[in-house]
Every structure is written in C-alpha cells, then in structure tokens.
Amino acid sequence: MRLLPEKIFDEKQVIVLDKSRKKITKRQTSNFYQILPFTTGKSDSIKNALSDWEKEIGAYSRRLLNVELSAKSFNTDYLLEGVLERVENQPEHEDEIHTFFSELLLQRDGGLNVTHPSMFMYIQGNPATKKKLGTFLADLTQHALDEGEIEKIKQVFKAGQNETLLDKMIVNLLPSLTNKEYKAEHALYSSLPIKLLGEDFVYLAEHPQYFLKEINNLLKYYLHYIVSQTTVKINNFETSNWNHPSKMYYTIHNETTVTSRRKTMNSGMGLLTSASENLFVHELTMAQLSCNSVNQSLENEKSKIMTYDEIFQHFTMLSDTDQVQFLKDIDLQTERILTYAGLESNVNDSQTFNEAVKQLFNAMKLTTPKEAQSRYGDHAKNIAKSHFTKRRGRLGYVLSLNQEMLILMCAVSCKNDRITFVELLERLSKRGINFDNESSTALLQLLEKINVIDKKSDSGEAQYVKPIL
C-alpha cells in the first residue's frame, strides 16, 4: 500500500495549489462522497433547514422514491380551488367554507399542510441548503437497508394507505411526479443508526396520527444521532469501533439539579463540542490518506473517504518493510503540506501508524484557516442545540431530551414488546441515548406518570415497560 500524492494534488484535488504550484489555495473533498452534509461557508443554512424541517422530509421522500417535483407544477391555490369546487355549500356560507378549508389544507406560509405521508413529496425543498439534510438521510438509507426494508419505507409515502376521503380528494388533485434517478452524494460509515431508523420509521407508520405528529422529531433525532456519533468516532482516529455507538449521556429536561460531576458533562455535549472543532481537519486528513493504492474507488467518478480504522486495518496486513514505507509516505506528505504553507517542515520519522497520522493531522490543522474549521464544526453543535440540549447555568449546554422526545424514543424502542426497564435502557443506548443513575430515575418517574410501568414487586428488575403506542 502506497500513498498517492498525484491524486491528492491533481486528480482528486484534496489540496489545490496555485498556478506556480508553490502555495495552497484551497482545501476540498468535492471529488469524494461526503461524510457529512456540511460546508465551510458563512451561512445559517443548517439552522434554517432545522427550523423548516418538513421541507427536508420532502426531499428525503422524493429521493427514496426516485421522483421529483417541478416547482412550476404545484400551486396550493389551485389545490384549494379544486377542493372547494368539489364541496357543496350554500352561498351564504361560502366565506366560512373557504376559511375552513384554507386553514385545513394550507400552512401560514402558503405551503401544503400534510394530512397524509404521501403529501410530504409535495413539500418543496429548502433552497438555502439545496435539500442537503434530507438528501443526506436518504443517501444513507439507500446504502444501509436492503430492498425489502427500503420498500417498507417507500410504502409509507405512497397514497392508498390509511387515507381519509379528504386525503383521497387532495391526492387526486396533486400533480403527477416525474421519475428521476438520483446520484448518491454521501457515503455510509456505520449502518447501525440507519438500520434502527428503518425499524422505528416503519413501526411509527403503523400509528398514522402519531406518525404525522412525530415523524419530524424521529428523523431529526436520527440526524443528530448520526452526526454526533460520526463526529466523535472520527476524533478517536484508528481506535474507533463503528459497530457500536460511543457512549453519550443525556439528562432529562425536568431534572432540577445537574452538577459538574454528572457523566453528561464529560461524555455529553462537552465531548461533542471538543470533537466538532476537529471535524473539518479530520475529513481533509482522511481524504488524503484515502488516496492510496488499495482504495479501488479512486477509479470511480466519486471516491469513498476511508476512515482511519479502515486504513489501519490494511496497514496491519502489510509486511514490516511495506509498513515502514507507508509511514514514510505519510511523513513526506506532512512535509509537503508544511512547505506549501510556507512553514518549517521539521517532521519526525514516525514509528507507528498513529504517530504518522497525527503528525499529518496536526499539519493540516495548523495550515487550515481557523474560520473554516469553526464554521464546519459548528453545524454538528447547532444540530444538537436545535432540540437535544438544555442550558444549565454556568455549566452551559448539556445534552438533554424533553418529555415529547423521550416518550417518542421510548415508544419506538419498546415497540409492541413488554420489556424490563433495564432492557429499555439498553435499547435506548443502541440509539445513542445513555442516562446516569439520576437521569434513569427521572425517566422511570416519567414513565410511571404516563402509566406505562407495570410493577411486579418493589425490585427495580421486576419493573416492566408496557408498549406505549
């Protein structure tokens, strides 16, 4: 295995040089599948998308079903007129009927009010983000699930299931969608979150009214879960285990006391914040290391960025001589980066894979504009802060879930099973949600309050959680 600098500087252009080929003008990974749907630009696009989330679900649904909606083909005024034409009314009640259906069908901004999942496909994508978040989740869903699993999700968005008479009328008035084959823009690094998303999504759809109420929260949580886990995993270099989620601890909104000694302080928002600061540099470093002779995807239109642990696995299979050569390749790349940045290139001869990679990473961090690093990493924090944190005075933001989100995640974790409280905590942990003793007690009290705890005795192990939906 050898590093391929010609791919880094020319064909793949992870590092773009000026015409004289003496200075770095740009750092990018545009010729690779993206790890996360972020940019380094000055924009609040992620915040805007999170606050207008139904539009991202629209992009998600269309991409899964391989259809597109022409902006000119859909007019909510035409839809309202079509419904009113099909409703019998007396002239003296015309205004009231118009107001009733207008409020029923349309949102305040004039968009479509979703009363059936098939209508999500008619929610126009957010132009500020180019539908990045919905596209990201759809790409990962396509990667992680088999055809049968994807078909179950597709069926949820198709008309004909659980429709009311009004739904049928609306669907018949909606324009036809055109077929479109989408090219993937993002690659998958852990299938576990999406496997769970697929299970939870299909289960939630079995309860139509609750689905419409909570699908926004479910998809938004899984976006946060994937982004936070990816951010933390990458920051652990080659020691990360992508098959199991990293332990991240949450509190519950209604807890009155959270101290600096709680697990959530070291393994919660603080962990995500520190890891997010390195996110852009990690992506650039991994992209360079992915330009190696064993990465067959380099021959494709878009290549896959290999994670540190993937590269390390190949490294361990090399002979001692080839390992030494690969370490020299990485050290030489570190020298090039420092030289092109106009800095002294005092690079040590690395003895281990970790030493070589961290030396390259540090060179990239030193030579990449701090503003770009900050803006890129801020997206991960902003997603967490949108729904999954609470400010706790001088402690700042801590990962935290409100009652609505807790009940949702407990419901999809339990599904139709009657399970022990301990097993519920294990299922939540698979979904990236961990609680210390204090928060576990608060969760138990919440579940008792909504009457889904079945006590067989005073023993904690004999406390069962009943299906919530």
Side-chain angles (χ1 to χ4, degrees):
M1 180 168 69
R2 296 295 304 271
L3 205 62
L4 306 173
E6 68 276 10
K7 298 278 187 180
I8 299 171
F9 290 103
D10 293 319
E11 202 170 318
K12 289 301 170 185
Q13 291 188 338
V14 181
I15 306 296
V16 182
L17 302 177
D18 64 3
K19 291 182 179 180
S20 67
R21 300 189 63 78
K22 292 182 180 179
K23 292 183 180 180
I24 298 173
T25 60
K26 188 164 62 171
R27 302 148 185 84
Q28 63 181 20
T29 58
S30 57
N31 288 316
F32 292 89
Y33 290 110
Q34 288 182 268
I35 293 177
L36 295 167
F38 302 156
T39 69
T40 59
K42 295 179 180 178
S43 171
D44 287 331
S45 59
I46 297 295
K47 288 184 178 179
N48 294 337
L50 290 167
S51 63
D52 210 0
W53 186 244
E54 280 193 346
K55 293 181 179 180
E56 299 303 319
I57 300 180
Y60 176 78
S61 62
R62 289 191 295 273
R63 202 170 181 89
L64 279 186
L65 275 74
N66 292 311
V67 294
E68 69 174 340
L69 171 66
S70 169
K72 296 180 180 179
S73 70
F74 180 51
N75 186 300
T76 51
D77 291 335
Y78 167 80
L79 175 65
L80 180 58
E81 290 173 8
V83 171
L84 292 174
E85 286 176 1
R86 288 160 176 78
V87 175
E88 293 184 8
N89 67 87
Q90 299 298 321
E92 63 269 23
H93 300 304
E94 189 172 325
D95 290 343
E96 290 88 342
I97 294 293
H98 184 280
T99 300
F100 172 79
F101 279 103
S102 179
E103 292 178 351
L104 183 66
L105 298 176
L106 307 180
Q107 297 179 344
R108 290 183 178 179
D109 62 358
L112 179 64
N113 188 27
V114 175
T115 60
H116 185 271
S118 63
M119 297 177 193
F120 277 117
M121 290 187 287
Y122 293 87
I123 304 295
Q124 298 282 15
N126 190 326
T129 61
K130 298 180 181 179
K131 306 176 288 293
K132 279 291 185 182
L133 301 184
T135 295
F136 174 65
L137 288 175
D139 282 353
L140 298 196
T141 300
Q142 296 279 19
H143 274 293
L145 304 185
D146 61 35
E147 289 184 9
E149 292 168 326
I150 293 174
E151 185 58 34
K152 289 180 181 178
I153 296 178
K154 287 182 177 180
Q155 287 300 323
V156 174
F157 289 114
K158 291 182 179 179
Q161 298 187 16
N162 301 310
E163 285 181 328
T164 65
L165 289 174
L166 179 60
D167 291 335
K168 289 181 180 180
M169 184 191 304
I170 296 171
V171 169
N172 288 334
L173 288 168
L174 293 172
S176 298
L177 297 164
T178 56
N179 294 330
K180 179 177 181 178
E181 289 296 326
Y182 292 93
K183 290 184 178 180
E185 299 177 22
H186 308 86
L188 182 71
Y189 295 90
S190 175
S191 62
L192 175 64
I194 300 298
K195 288 283 187 183
L196 293 170
L197 170 59
E199 294 174 13
D200 295 349
F201 186 99
V202 172
Y203 171 73
L204 201 63
E206 295 173 5
H207 306 270
Q209 294 306 312
Y210 195 67
F211 177 90
L212 290 177
K213 179 175 179 287
E214 296 295 345
I215 187 57
N216 282 353
N217 282 334
L218 184 72
L219 285 175
K220 195 175 289 187
Y221 174 75
Y222 271 99
L223 172 70
H224 161 65
Y225 177 27
I226 294 163
V227 167
S228 59
Q229 287 290 324
T230 300
T231 301
V232 171
K233 293 289 187 190
I234 288 174
N235 204 45
N236 289 329
F237 290 91
E238 77 276 13
T239 63
S240 287
N241 182 349
W242 290 81
N243 296 318
H244 299 281
S246 297
K247 292 274 188 180
M248 299 187 72
Y249 285 83
Y250 289 72
T251 59
I252 295 173
H253 269 25
N254 63 2
E255 288 185 68
T256 56
T257 304
V258 177
T259 67
S260 59
R261 295 187 298 274
R262 296 279 294 275
K263 285 185 178 180
T264 188
M265 298 313 299
N266 295 322
S267 301
M269 191 61 187
L271 178 64
L272 177 60
T273 297
S274 60
S276 68
E277 294 171 356
N278 299 322
L279 193 52
F280 184 50
V281 178
H282 277 305
E283 188 168 334
L284 292 170
T285 304
M286 289 192 300
Q288 291 180 78
L289 294 172
S290 297
C291 293
N292 62 62
S293 55
V294 301
N295 188 356
Q296 296 181 356
S297 72
L298 293 178
E299 304 304 318
N300 301 334
E301 182 180 348
K302 275 190 178 290
S303 307
K304 184 178 179 181
I305 292 178
M306 299 172 68
T307 58
Y308 294 120
D309 57 303
E310 283 182 284
I311 300 167
F312 181 64
Q313 287 173 15
H314 286 287
F315 175 81
T316 58
M317 296 170 66
L318 299 175
S319 67
D320 290 346
T321 301
D322 289 341
Q323 284 188 0
V324 170
Q325 181 60 60
F326 191 65
L327 295 181
K328 287 182 178 179
D329 287 349
I330 299 175
D331 289 345
L332 183 57
Q333 179 62 14
T334 303
E335 285 187 17
R336 293 189 190 101
I337 295 298
L338 293 171
T339 300
Y340 287 132
L343 301 173
E344 290 187 24
S345 55
N346 296 325
V347 178
N348 298 323
D349 293 334
S350 299
Q351 303 301 310
T352 67
F353 180 85
N354 185 264
E355 287 179 6
V357 169
K358 284 191 173 178
Q359 198 164 212
L360 176 59
F361 168 83
N362 289 331
M364 283 305 304
K365 191 169 182 64
L366 183 64
T367 59
T368 301
K370 287 183 171 55
E371 295 80 5
Q373 296 181 46
S374 177
R375 288 195 292 265
Y376 196 88
D378 280 348
H379 295 311
K381 292 185 290 184
N382 289 337
I383 289 173
K385 289 178 181 179
S386 68
H387 268 78
F388 311 105
T389 60
K390 183 174 181 178
R391 189 167 183 84
R392 296 282 185 176
R394 61 182 179 80
L395 298 178
Y397 287 98
V398 299
L399 290 181
S400 185
L401 299 176
N402 61 28
Q403 179 172 312
E404 182 182 14
M405 188 65 71
L406 272 171
I407 294 174
L408 168 64
M409 296 312 298
C410 287
V412 296
S413 295
C414 288
K415 296 186 171 62
N416 296 321
D417 302 329
R418 178 177 174 273
I419 59 177
T420 65
F421 182 65
V422 172
E423 187 174 352
L424 171 62
L425 293 178
E426 292 172 353
R427 293 189 183 188
L428 287 171
S429 183
K430 285 183 180 179
R431 289 163 174 78
I433 300 169
N434 298 276
F435 297 118
D436 60 15
N437 291 335
E438 292 89 338
S439 294
S440 295
T441 300
L443 174 61
L444 182 59
Q445 291 171 347
L446 170 62
L447 296 177
E448 288 176 336
K449 181 180 176 182
I450 64 173
N451 197 30
V452 295
I453 293 293
D454 185 8
K455 287 188 179 181
K456 292 300 181 185
S457 73
D458 291 335
S459 169
E461 293 183 356
Q463 291 169 323
Y464 286 82
V465 183
K466 297 180 287 187
I468 293 174
L469 299 185

